[in-house]
Amino acid sequence: MAWTGDPTWLADVLRAEGLKVIEEPGWKQRGHGDFLDIRGIIWHHTAGGGSGDWRIVRDGRPDLPGPLAQLVLERDGTYRVIAAGVCWHAGRGSWAGWPTNNANYHTIGIEAVNDGRGQPWPAVQLDAYRRGTAAIARKVRFGANMVAGHKEYSSEGKIDPFGINMVAARADVARLITAPKPAPTPPPNLINLAAEASKAWIGKRLTLGENKLFADGKLIGAWAEFANGHIYWRNGAKRALAVPHDGGLFDAWAARGWERGELGFPFYPAAVVDGGRVQYFEGGTLLVQAGGDPKGHVVHGRIGEHYAAMKSEQGPLGWPLSDEEKVPGTDNITQRFEHGRLTWSPSGIVVQLGESA
């Protein structure tokens, strides 16, 4: 049975095949109406051969309104998804199993970027042509015999895709449709990668495996302990980050409830600065001054932004001596530093320098 409905799954199916995909905004709503059913694929070339060909496919030509195909295949093997609805790509012609002169409502068009005048076909583009076609055929459950070159289907003298032997291409697509998919490569262990990046100082791993972190029954992250620091990863983050034991940062963070406290997970690597240690967390910047309060102090929000603009602890205010404090009897918030204070009010930030904190 042919697939009914518009192929709003195109981007997902191509990505699942390991192909690069760009989704043009609004593609799921773009088209000249809805498919009747999907029975096959027609291969084309754009006849331009340049990086801007996709715009013509999306927007059309003076003699033919766009979209002109559901997919554009760039020369680097990237698929650009143009439309999910019917596109004007087929014209008049016939192919076994398709209605004569009416393939637009039953076939997905792929416009591959090529000038059609002898421009070489990059191997990566041809590979993506075959693999993407096989992925769509597998999804819709039709065979390679339902893949036609425009030059094969058309009764109007079309020559596209120029330079491609469609008999050989269909044989390749047939093998790919039935080939077993390789097992997905497991994602890298980000805690291990962070440990490797920090091997100069992090020391021996003390945790066997990783400790998972859950909230309301859902995984929110993981951590592992090393001789000289802990490495934390938040679920969904692209990297894990170490919080060193040296300099008091880890103890100060622990005193504030670790990742479940006001600071949340580490957001940026720790830094050794003149006079102490600094690390950015999701909820603010934790500063621990050498010889100062071992719990350190946090700057965040509008006061934190202003402090950063004044070069933080290396600027005229120096190190924080408190967290934010409510000014009694007002809506204002203030924070004390070595050489002054910053006070927030609804009208803005007030800087008081040179005052004893």
Side-chain angles (χ1 to χ4, degrees), residues 98-144:
W98 304 347
T100 299
N101 300 329
N102 192 27
N104 285 325
Y105 285 84
H106 302 278
T107 59
I108 291 170
I110 304 177
E111 288 274 2
V113 176
N114 187 280
D115 68 7
R117 298 187 300 274
Q119 186 179 28
W121 288 93
V124 67
Q125 188 182 26
L126 290 174
D127 177 66
Y129 222 156
R130 294 187 292 260
R131 290 170 57 206
T133 298
I136 294 168
R138 201 181 302 119
K139 169 72 174 180
V140 184
R141 297 184 180 179
F142 57 74

Side-chain angles (χ1 to χ4, degrees), residues 80-94:
R80 195 180 290 269
V81 190
I82 301 294
V86 170
C87 297
W88 301 150
H89 68 95
R92 297 175 64 82
S94 62

Side-chain angles (χ1 to χ4, degrees), residues 223-235:
W223 61 272
E225 182 180 3
F226 295 77
N228 300 316
H230 282 59
I231 295 178
Y232 276 75
W233 167 76
R234 172 184 270 288
N235 188 19

Side-chain angles (χ1 to χ4, degrees), residues 159-175:
I159 64 169
D160 53 322
F162 181 81
I164 293 180
N165 182 324
M166 289 305 303
V167 174
R170 273 190 292 276
D172 290 337
V173 169
R175 285 190 289 271

Side-chain angles (χ1 to χ4, degrees), residues 13 15 34 52 105-106 125 150 155 173 261 273 280 302 308 348-349:
V13 165
R15 283 200 185 95
D34 297 326
Y105 285 84
H106 302 278
Q125 188 182 26
H150 198 199
S155 60
V173 169
V273 298
Y280 297 93
R302 293 294 306 280
I349 299 286

